[in-house]
């Protein structure tokens, strides 16, 4: 292996994701719903959940809560 490498012409990896791993508590029934839907669509359920959340951000959707 070389002692020194030249990275002056290096380019940023365009395939690197801008995602961050977190822990989140989600109801079992909600996970089951997304797993079933993801299986039907042929994608990982975490990708599906991220797509739903991303759609909320892009369309500035706000949650409407109604307390009984």
């Amino acid at each position: 292996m070389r002692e020194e490498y030249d990275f002056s012409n290096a380019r940023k990896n365009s395939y690197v994701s801008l995602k961050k791993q977190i822990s989140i508590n989600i109801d079992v029934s909600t996970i089951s719903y997304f797993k079933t839907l993801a299986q039907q669509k042929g994608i990982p359920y975490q990708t599906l959940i991220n797509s739903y959340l991303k759609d909320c951000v892009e369309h500035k959707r706000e949650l409407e809560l109604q307390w009984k």
Side-chain angles (χ1 to χ4, degrees):
M1 199 177 271
R2 291 184 182 178
E3 288 284 326
E4 186 176 318
Y5 289 89
D6 180 14
F7 293 103
S8 61
N9 292 324
R11 292 180 292 170
K12 186 176 180 180
N13 186 345
S14 61
Y15 297 104
V16 172
S17 176
L18 297 176
K19 294 182 180 180
K20 180 175 178 155
Q21 185 175 355
I22 63 166
S23 294
I24 185 170
N25 295 322
I26 301 176
D27 294 335
V28 173
S29 60
T30 303
I31 295 290
S32 295
Y33 170 80
F34 278 102
K35 281 186 174 183
T36 301
L37 188 58
Q39 189 174 23
Q40 292 171 0
K41 302 295 181 185
I43 60 174
Y45 77 97
Q46 291 177 333
T47 301
L48 182 60
I49 292 171
N50 186 61
S51 296
Y52 268 81
L53 294 174
K54 191 173 181 178
D55 181 69
C56 289
V57 171
E58 289 173 354
H59 293 95
K60 299 187 182 346
R61 300 185 197 281
E62 292 190 23
L63 182 62
E64 294 182 20
L65 293 176
Q66 295 181 348
W67 300 97
K68 292 183 179 183

